[in-house]
Short mmCIF file of all heavy atoms in Angstrom, two decimals:
data_model
loop_
_atom_site.label_atom_id
_atom_site.label_comp_id
_atom_site.label_asym_id
_atom_site.label_seq_id
_atom_site.Cartn_x
_atom_site.Cartn_y
_atom_site.Cartn_z
N GLU A 1 27.41 305.24 -74.21
CA GLU A 1 26.71 305.00 -72.95
C GLU A 1 26.07 303.61 -72.90
O GLU A 1 25.94 303.02 -71.82
CB GLU A 1 25.65 306.09 -72.71
CG GLU A 1 24.61 306.25 -73.81
CD GLU A 1 25.00 307.31 -74.83
OE1 GLU A 1 26.21 307.56 -75.02
OE2 GLU A 1 24.08 307.90 -75.43
N GLU A 2 25.69 303.08 -74.08
CA GLU A 2 25.16 301.72 -74.12
C GLU A 2 26.26 300.69 -73.83
O GLU A 2 26.05 299.71 -73.13
CB GLU A 2 24.51 301.44 -75.47
CG GLU A 2 23.28 302.30 -75.77
CD GLU A 2 22.74 302.03 -77.17
OE1 GLU A 2 22.13 300.96 -77.37
OE2 GLU A 2 22.95 302.89 -78.05
N PHE A 3 27.46 300.93 -74.40
CA PHE A 3 28.60 300.07 -74.09
C PHE A 3 28.85 300.08 -72.58
O PHE A 3 29.05 299.03 -71.96
CB PHE A 3 29.85 300.58 -74.82
CG PHE A 3 30.13 299.91 -76.13
CD1 PHE A 3 29.65 300.45 -77.30
CD2 PHE A 3 30.88 298.76 -76.18
CE1 PHE A 3 29.92 299.85 -78.52
CE2 PHE A 3 31.16 298.14 -77.39
CZ PHE A 3 30.68 298.69 -78.58
N ALA A 4 28.86 301.27 -72.00
CA ALA A 4 29.15 301.40 -70.58
C ALA A 4 28.14 300.64 -69.74
O ALA A 4 28.50 299.94 -68.78
CB ALA A 4 29.20 302.87 -70.18
N ALA A 5 26.85 300.75 -70.09
CA ALA A 5 25.80 300.08 -69.32
C ALA A 5 25.97 298.56 -69.39
O ALA A 5 25.84 297.85 -68.37
CB ALA A 5 24.43 300.48 -69.84
N VAL A 6 26.26 298.03 -70.60
CA VAL A 6 26.45 296.58 -70.75
C VAL A 6 27.65 296.11 -69.93
O VAL A 6 27.58 295.12 -69.21
CB VAL A 6 26.64 296.23 -72.24
CG1 VAL A 6 27.13 294.79 -72.39
CG2 VAL A 6 25.32 296.40 -73.00
N LEU A 7 28.76 296.84 -70.01
CA LEU A 7 29.97 296.42 -69.31
C LEU A 7 29.83 296.53 -67.80
O LEU A 7 30.41 295.73 -67.05
CB LEU A 7 31.16 297.22 -69.82
CG LEU A 7 31.58 296.88 -71.27
CD1 LEU A 7 32.64 297.85 -71.76
CD2 LEU A 7 32.09 295.44 -71.35
N ARG A 8 29.06 297.50 -67.33
CA ARG A 8 28.81 297.59 -65.89
C ARG A 8 28.00 296.40 -65.41
O ARG A 8 28.26 295.84 -64.33
CB ARG A 8 28.12 298.91 -65.55
CG ARG A 8 29.07 300.11 -65.49
CD ARG A 8 28.42 301.30 -64.82
NE ARG A 8 27.36 301.87 -65.66
CZ ARG A 8 27.54 302.88 -66.50
NH1 ARG A 8 28.75 303.43 -66.62
NH2 ARG A 8 26.54 303.35 -67.23
N ARG A 9 26.99 295.98 -66.21
CA ARG A 9 26.19 294.81 -65.84
C ARG A 9 27.06 293.55 -65.80
O ARG A 9 26.94 292.74 -64.88
CB ARG A 9 25.04 294.61 -66.83
CG ARG A 9 23.89 295.59 -66.66
CD ARG A 9 22.64 295.10 -67.36
NE ARG A 9 22.80 294.99 -68.80
CZ ARG A 9 22.57 295.98 -69.66
NH1 ARG A 9 22.17 297.16 -69.21
NH2 ARG A 9 22.75 295.79 -70.96
N VAL A 10 27.95 293.41 -66.78
CA VAL A 10 28.84 292.24 -66.80
C VAL A 10 29.76 292.26 -65.59
O VAL A 10 29.99 291.23 -64.94
CB VAL A 10 29.64 292.19 -68.11
CG1 VAL A 10 30.72 291.09 -68.06
CG2 VAL A 10 28.72 291.97 -69.30
N ALA A 11 30.31 293.43 -65.26
CA ALA A 11 31.20 293.54 -64.11
C ALA A 11 30.49 293.13 -62.83
O ALA A 11 31.07 292.46 -61.96
CB ALA A 11 31.73 294.97 -63.98
N ASP A 12 29.22 293.51 -62.70
CA ASP A 12 28.44 293.11 -61.52
C ASP A 12 28.29 291.60 -61.44
O ASP A 12 28.36 291.02 -60.35
CB ASP A 12 27.07 293.78 -61.55
CG ASP A 12 27.13 295.28 -61.30
OD1 ASP A 12 28.17 295.75 -60.78
OD2 ASP A 12 26.16 295.99 -61.65
N ARG A 13 28.10 290.96 -62.61
CA ARG A 13 27.93 289.50 -62.62
C ARG A 13 29.25 288.77 -62.34
O ARG A 13 29.26 287.74 -61.68
CB ARG A 13 27.35 289.07 -63.96
CG ARG A 13 25.91 289.51 -64.18
CD ARG A 13 25.45 289.25 -65.59
NE ARG A 13 24.13 289.83 -65.82
CZ ARG A 13 23.58 289.98 -67.02
NH1 ARG A 13 24.26 289.59 -68.10
NH2 ARG A 13 22.39 290.51 -67.16
N VAL A 14 30.33 289.32 -62.88
CA VAL A 14 31.64 288.69 -62.64
C VAL A 14 32.01 288.81 -61.16
O VAL A 14 32.56 287.88 -60.56
CB VAL A 14 32.72 289.33 -63.53
CG1 VAL A 14 34.10 288.82 -63.18
CG2 VAL A 14 32.41 289.05 -65.00
N GLY A 15 31.71 289.94 -60.56
CA GLY A 15 31.86 290.09 -59.12
C GLY A 15 33.21 290.57 -58.63
O GLY A 15 33.38 290.80 -57.43
N ARG A 16 34.16 290.73 -59.51
CA ARG A 16 35.46 291.27 -59.12
C ARG A 16 36.12 291.88 -60.35
O ARG A 16 35.74 291.58 -61.46
CB ARG A 16 36.34 290.20 -58.48
CG ARG A 16 36.63 288.99 -59.32
CD ARG A 16 37.13 287.85 -58.41
NE ARG A 16 37.64 286.72 -59.16
CZ ARG A 16 36.88 285.78 -59.71
NH1 ARG A 16 35.55 285.86 -59.62
NH2 ARG A 16 37.43 284.76 -60.34
N ARG A 17 37.10 292.72 -60.08
CA ARG A 17 37.75 293.46 -61.16
C ARG A 17 38.40 292.51 -62.16
O ARG A 17 39.06 291.55 -61.76
CB ARG A 17 38.78 294.41 -60.59
CG ARG A 17 39.02 295.65 -61.44
CD ARG A 17 39.85 296.64 -60.66
NE ARG A 17 40.13 297.83 -61.44
CZ ARG A 17 41.24 298.54 -61.32
NH1 ARG A 17 42.17 298.18 -60.45
NH2 ARG A 17 41.44 299.62 -62.05
N ALA A 18 38.20 292.76 -63.45
CA ALA A 18 38.68 291.85 -64.49
C ALA A 18 39.50 292.60 -65.52
O ALA A 18 39.36 293.81 -65.70
CB ALA A 18 37.48 291.18 -65.18
N VAL A 19 40.36 291.85 -66.23
CA VAL A 19 41.07 292.39 -67.39
C VAL A 19 40.09 292.40 -68.56
O VAL A 19 39.48 291.38 -68.88
CB VAL A 19 42.31 291.54 -67.73
CG1 VAL A 19 42.92 291.98 -69.05
CG2 VAL A 19 43.35 291.65 -66.61
N LEU A 20 39.93 293.56 -69.19
CA LEU A 20 39.00 293.70 -70.32
C LEU A 20 39.79 293.66 -71.62
O LEU A 20 40.75 294.41 -71.81
CB LEU A 20 38.23 295.01 -70.20
CG LEU A 20 37.18 295.31 -71.27
CD1 LEU A 20 36.12 294.22 -71.35
CD2 LEU A 20 36.51 296.67 -71.00
N VAL A 21 39.36 292.78 -72.55
CA VAL A 21 40.07 292.59 -73.81
C VAL A 21 39.11 292.83 -74.99
O VAL A 21 38.35 291.93 -75.36
CB VAL A 21 40.68 291.17 -73.92
CG1 VAL A 21 41.57 291.07 -75.16
CG2 VAL A 21 41.45 290.80 -72.67
N PRO A 22 39.12 294.01 -75.60
CA PRO A 22 38.30 294.22 -76.82
C PRO A 22 38.89 293.42 -77.97
O PRO A 22 40.11 293.38 -78.16
CB PRO A 22 38.42 295.73 -77.08
CG PRO A 22 39.00 296.32 -75.82
CD PRO A 22 39.82 295.24 -75.20
N LEU A 23 38.01 292.82 -78.78
CA LEU A 23 38.46 291.96 -79.87
C LEU A 23 38.08 292.47 -81.26
O LEU A 23 38.37 291.80 -82.25
CB LEU A 23 37.91 290.54 -79.68
CG LEU A 23 38.45 289.79 -78.46
CD1 LEU A 23 37.71 288.47 -78.27
CD2 LEU A 23 39.95 289.53 -78.59
N ASP A 24 37.42 293.62 -81.33
CA ASP A 24 37.16 294.23 -82.64
C ASP A 24 37.33 295.74 -82.51
O ASP A 24 37.44 296.28 -81.40
CB ASP A 24 35.79 293.84 -83.20
CG ASP A 24 34.63 294.33 -82.34
OD1 ASP A 24 34.87 294.89 -81.25
OD2 ASP A 24 33.47 294.13 -82.74
N ASP A 25 37.40 296.44 -83.64
CA ASP A 25 37.70 297.86 -83.61
C ASP A 25 36.62 298.67 -82.91
O ASP A 25 36.93 299.60 -82.15
CB ASP A 25 37.90 298.39 -85.04
CG ASP A 25 39.21 297.92 -85.66
OD1 ASP A 25 40.06 297.39 -84.92
OD2 ASP A 25 39.36 298.06 -86.89
N ALA A 26 35.34 298.34 -83.15
CA ALA A 26 34.27 299.08 -82.50
C ALA A 26 34.38 299.00 -80.99
O ALA A 26 34.21 299.99 -80.27
CB ALA A 26 32.91 298.55 -82.97
N SER A 27 34.69 297.80 -80.48
CA SER A 27 34.84 297.62 -79.04
C SER A 27 36.07 298.36 -78.52
O SER A 27 36.02 298.99 -77.45
CB SER A 27 34.96 296.13 -78.71
OG SER A 27 33.80 295.43 -79.11
N ALA A 28 37.18 298.28 -79.25
CA ALA A 28 38.41 298.95 -78.82
C ALA A 28 38.22 300.46 -78.74
O ALA A 28 38.67 301.11 -77.79
CB ALA A 28 39.55 298.60 -79.76
N VAL A 29 37.54 301.03 -79.73
CA VAL A 29 37.30 302.48 -79.74
C VAL A 29 36.39 302.88 -78.58
O VAL A 29 36.66 303.86 -77.88
CB VAL A 29 36.70 302.90 -81.10
CG1 VAL A 29 36.18 304.32 -81.05
CG2 VAL A 29 37.73 302.74 -82.21
N ALA A 30 35.31 302.11 -78.38
CA ALA A 30 34.38 302.44 -77.31
C ALA A 30 35.04 302.32 -75.93
O ALA A 30 34.86 303.19 -75.07
CB ALA A 30 33.16 301.51 -77.38
N VAL A 31 35.81 301.27 -75.71
CA VAL A 31 36.46 301.07 -74.41
C VAL A 31 37.47 302.17 -74.14
O VAL A 31 37.57 302.68 -73.01
CB VAL A 31 37.11 299.68 -74.36
CG1 VAL A 31 38.06 299.56 -73.17
CG2 VAL A 31 36.03 298.59 -74.28
N ALA A 32 38.22 302.58 -75.16
CA ALA A 32 39.19 303.66 -74.97
C ALA A 32 38.49 304.97 -74.59
O ALA A 32 38.96 305.71 -73.71
CB ALA A 32 40.01 303.85 -76.24
N ARG A 33 37.36 305.24 -75.22
CA ARG A 33 36.60 306.45 -74.88
C ARG A 33 36.10 306.42 -73.44
O ARG A 33 36.02 307.44 -72.76
CB ARG A 33 35.39 306.57 -75.81
CG ARG A 33 35.66 307.01 -77.23
CD ARG A 33 34.34 307.05 -77.98
NE ARG A 33 34.46 307.46 -79.37
CZ ARG A 33 33.43 307.45 -80.21
NH1 ARG A 33 32.24 307.06 -79.79
NH2 ARG A 33 33.60 307.82 -81.46
N LEU A 34 35.72 305.21 -72.98
CA LEU A 34 35.06 305.05 -71.68
C LEU A 34 36.01 304.67 -70.57
O LEU A 34 35.57 304.32 -69.47
CB LEU A 34 33.98 303.96 -71.81
CG LEU A 34 32.83 304.26 -72.75
CD1 LEU A 34 32.03 302.99 -73.03
CD2 LEU A 34 31.91 305.33 -72.14
N ARG A 35 37.31 304.73 -70.82
CA ARG A 35 38.26 304.22 -69.85
C ARG A 35 38.01 304.74 -68.45
O ARG A 35 38.02 304.00 -67.46
CB ARG A 35 39.69 304.53 -70.29
CG ARG A 35 40.73 303.85 -69.43
CD ARG A 35 42.15 304.21 -69.85
NE ARG A 35 43.11 303.44 -69.09
CZ ARG A 35 43.45 303.70 -67.83
NH1 ARG A 35 42.92 304.74 -67.22
NH2 ARG A 35 44.30 302.93 -67.19
N GLY A 36 37.79 306.04 -68.32
CA GLY A 36 37.59 306.63 -67.00
C GLY A 36 36.37 306.09 -66.27
O GLY A 36 36.36 305.99 -65.04
N GLU A 37 35.33 305.71 -67.04
CA GLU A 37 34.11 305.20 -66.43
C GLU A 37 34.18 303.71 -66.10
O GLU A 37 33.36 303.21 -65.33
CB GLU A 37 32.91 305.42 -67.38
CG GLU A 37 32.64 306.88 -67.69
CD GLU A 37 31.47 307.00 -68.68
OE1 GLU A 37 30.48 306.27 -68.49
OE2 GLU A 37 31.58 307.81 -69.63
N LEU A 38 35.15 303.00 -66.67
CA LEU A 38 35.20 301.55 -66.53
C LEU A 38 36.23 301.06 -65.53
O LEU A 38 36.26 299.87 -65.21
CB LEU A 38 35.49 300.92 -67.90
CG LEU A 38 34.46 301.14 -69.00
CD1 LEU A 38 34.94 300.55 -70.32
CD2 LEU A 38 33.10 300.53 -68.61
N THR A 39 37.10 301.94 -65.03
CA THR A 39 38.22 301.48 -64.23
C THR A 39 37.80 300.88 -62.89
O THR A 39 38.59 300.15 -62.27
CB THR A 39 39.22 302.62 -63.99
OG1 THR A 39 38.52 303.78 -63.51
CG2 THR A 39 39.95 302.97 -65.27
N ASP A 40 36.59 301.15 -62.41
CA ASP A 40 36.15 300.52 -61.17
C ASP A 40 35.98 299.01 -61.35
O ASP A 40 36.21 298.24 -60.41
CB ASP A 40 34.83 301.13 -60.69
CG ASP A 40 35.02 302.52 -60.10
OD1 ASP A 40 36.19 302.88 -59.81
OD2 ASP A 40 34.02 303.25 -59.93
N GLY A 41 35.54 298.59 -62.54
CA GLY A 41 35.26 297.18 -62.76
C GLY A 41 36.30 296.45 -63.60
O GLY A 41 36.30 295.21 -63.63
N TYR A 42 37.20 297.22 -64.25
CA TYR A 42 38.10 296.57 -65.21
C TYR A 42 39.51 297.15 -65.11
O TYR A 42 39.72 298.31 -64.77
CB TYR A 42 37.58 296.77 -66.64
CG TYR A 42 36.24 296.13 -66.88
CD1 TYR A 42 35.08 296.90 -66.85
CD2 TYR A 42 36.14 294.76 -67.13
CE1 TYR A 42 33.83 296.31 -67.07
CE2 TYR A 42 34.91 294.18 -67.35
CZ TYR A 42 33.76 294.95 -67.32
OH TYR A 42 32.54 294.36 -67.53
#
């Protein structure tokens, strides 16, 4: 949920849908878990 909150804030600042690229295992695992919650911004 902390990952999701951070990524939602970043999406708001970017202002449009972006390609999200995790660069370490912790990020890749978290993003895969949260895919359904992140598709509006990424």
Side-chain angles (χ1 to χ4, degrees):
E1 56 267 27
E2 295 176 74
F3 265 93
V6 168
L7 290 172
R8 280 194 290 266
R9 285 197 297 270
V10 172
D12 289 342
R13 291 171 187 167
V14 173
R16 58 199 190 279
R17 208 169 178 212
V19 171
L20 182 58
V21 187
L23 293 173
D24 63 356
D25 287 348
S27 299
V29 168
V31 167
R33 285 179 180 174
L34 296 166
R35 188 182 186 283
E37 299 178 43
L38 298 175
T39 50
D40 286 345
Y42 297 99

